[in-house]
Amino acid sequence: MTSDRRPPQGQDPENLEAASPFELRVDRGRNVPESEVRTALATGDLGFIHSFTTGSMLDGPGVRIVAWLAGCQFRCLYCHNPDTWNMTNGTPVTIQRAKEQLKKYRAGLRVMKGGLTISGGEPLMQHKFVVKLFTAAKSMGVHTALDTNGSLGARLTGEDLNQVDLVLLDIKSWNPERHQKVVGASIDPVLDFARRLAAARKPMWLRYVLVPSLTDDFDDIAHIAEFCAGLGNVSRVDVLPFHQMGGFKWKQLGIAYELENVEPPTRETVDKACQIFREHGLKAY
Ligand code: SF4
């Protein structure tokens, strides 16, 4: 997520492709009746999608399409997409339409050794839709990656996991109190999911957001590095420097934003965090 482009005016509600991952999108599914939302969640025949972007080289191997799903149960203090928190901010899209969209790109994705990444929000809020779309992608020969905070990993069966080639797992903090403070939820289900992925030998990349004065405790990072190195399935670590590109969304949504005056971490701090992961034998970028 490197673009700092701002949302265009006069958005077309049918246009799912975002000019940047930082487009503000709200209320696109507000007219869907509650009963249909429940049916959608139970069947996976309808998904609520914030947007999709093409040509990403940051969200898994190769060049990728990323589908950003709406809905998240975390409330990370540093979230740069708070408009993805509510599912009904997303555009309702049938699984059939999503498959047809993917089909248009499959040949290119294979040539570019990329694939489909489903992110959010938290994609496993809509796990049935995710599994259906990944199953379709696999049948097209498209690589699949799930970008998740991991807390709802127990929703996936073993068979569901077979449709996922790679998991990009966020671990937000090691310290349980700090984790609770940063995201408003417990770390335990996240670590349980990581252990399950390791037991299943499912390839995993770790993503760690580095926020000055919040998640830049080097002891905390060392514990995460030790944990991930011990799993045996973590092939890459991405240290993601905090930025303010989504800060405007908090203001526009009227949500109190505690990190308004926080600067991005220095290059030295990012390098030090990467170094800690490398000292534990992990490839960190
Ligand atoms: S898990 Fe991701 S989408 Fe959800 S609040 Fe945290 S940063 Fe935002």
Side-chain angles (χ1 to χ4, degrees), residues 72 74-76 78-79 84-85 120-122 149 172:
C72 186
F74 277 12
R75 293 291 178 265
C76 300
Y78 54 70
C79 183
T84 63
W85 290 354
E122 171 44 50
N149 66 34
K172 315 280 189 179

Side-chain angles (χ1 to χ4, degrees), residues 188-211:
D188 294 342
V190 180
L191 300 184
D192 287 347
F193 187 51
R195 293 185 190 101
R196 184 176 163 212
L197 294 173
R201 299 179 188 276
K202 183 65 62 184
M204 185 179 126
W205 290 8
L206 170 73
R207 306 188 119 188
Y208 186 77
V209 181
L210 193 65
V211 189

Side-chain angles (χ1 to χ4, degrees), residues 157-173:
T157 65
E159 180 51 36
D160 293 342
L161 267 183
N162 288 340
Q163 308 309 320
V164 184
D165 292 316
L166 172 71
V167 175
L168 313 178
L169 182 71
D170 294 351
I171 296 181
K172 315 280 189 179
S173 176

